[in-house]
Amino acid sequence: ATPLPPGATAVPGASAGPVVPVPNGRPADALAAWAQQTGAKVGISPVAMQAYGYAELALAQTTPGCRLSWTTLAAIGYVESSHGQANGATLGPDGQALPEIIGDALDGKGGRQRITDTDRGLFDKDTVYDRAIGPMQFIPTTWQEIGADADNDGRKNPHDLDDAALAAGNYLCKGGRNMTVPGDWWGAILSYNDVRRYAQDVFDKANEYGLASRRL
């Protein structure tokens, strides 16, 4: 098995209990200083870094056996949408990617799956076929199963990277996976997108982020 991405810089509080959220802000704002410093090293905006780091912290508390690192979530975010910037979108300070990132129709053409509409266009604005949605590119049925509210605004929003990153982590950690075990890591990524080239791209980017984050 290919070795896992090297260790990343530790997210503050990962082993010391909950991070105390900033009053009147998104919980991930508590990671602002870490996100600013680490984001500068790896080339990811602080807003996106906060989303990935907070997801790691949340999962360390809810699913400690999974041991998922922010580097894997960031790699998926990069491959799927360049951290919420695909199709001309901008990632706002609240973590929301606007205009909404909606993929091509899953109509069975061009190598895509064929998935007829499951959400009546609620998430993807398409009532004929499903489309992948948001910065982490969830299929509507998957989002309805695994969607999360990471910013405590009372809404599970696939177009908000805070929510999407935590949902992606929940998805990767399903089935008792331990993401430090190579077989579990590769199995998780391939369950996200069952294409070997995709999984290799995620691995390569996670590896890059892990190395860059440890530079002095």
Side-chain angles (χ1 to χ4, degrees):
T2 306
L4 287 175
T9 52
V11 179
S15 60
V19 167
V20 179
V22 175
N24 302 318
R26 56 198 265 263
D29 286 343
L31 298 176
W34 171 83
Q36 187 78 38
Q37 181 181 40
T38 307
K41 292 180 180 180
V42 300
I44 301 175
S45 74
V47 173
M49 282 298 302
Q50 286 172 291
Y52 303 134
Y54 186 78
E56 177 185 320
L57 287 182
L59 288 159
Q61 295 167 31
T62 61
T63 319
C66 183
R67 301 176 69 185
L68 176 64
S69 169
W70 65 265
T71 52
T72 293
L73 294 172
I76 292 174
Y78 172 81
V79 173
E80 294 288 3
S81 72
S82 192
H83 310 302
Q85 298 177 91
N87 300 343
T90 299
L91 191 66
D94 60 354
Q96 187 156 335
L98 294 172
E100 294 179 348
I101 301 170
I102 298 177
D104 293 333
L106 296 173
D107 54 9
K109 300 176 182 177
R112 296 184 293 274
Q113 297 181 66
R114 187 179 190 278
I115 304 177
T116 54
D117 177 58
T118 61
D119 67 337
R120 298 183 180 179
L122 175 64
F123 295 114
D124 59 12
K125 311 298 190 292
D126 189 332
T127 57
V128 180
Y129 296 102
D130 272 352
R131 296 169 181 254
I133 49 175
M136 301 298 270
Q137 289 288 279
F138 281 98
I139 295 172
T141 50
T142 305
W143 181 258
Q144 291 179 69
E145 172 199 349
I146 210 80
D149 176 15
D151 54 8
N152 294 336
D153 65 354
R155 181 186 176 203
K156 297 177 180 180
N157 181 3
H159 301 286
D160 186 310
L161 187 54
D162 293 304
D163 294 356
L166 181 55
N170 287 332
Y171 185 84
L172 294 171
C173 289
K174 285 172 61 175
R177 292 189 182 106
N178 178 345
M179 296 294 282
T180 65
V181 175
D184 282 4
W185 191 92
W186 286 96
I189 303 304
L190 288 169
S191 76
Y192 204 94
N193 187 339
D194 192 16
V195 176
R196 181 72 192 192
R197 181 67 253 173
Y198 172 88
Q200 187 64 53
D201 288 345
V202 170
F203 174 85
D204 291 344
K205 203 66 186 178
N207 186 49
E208 178 187 317
Y209 288 150
L211 290 169
S213 70
R214 292 186 295 167
R215 291 177 188 147
L216 298 178

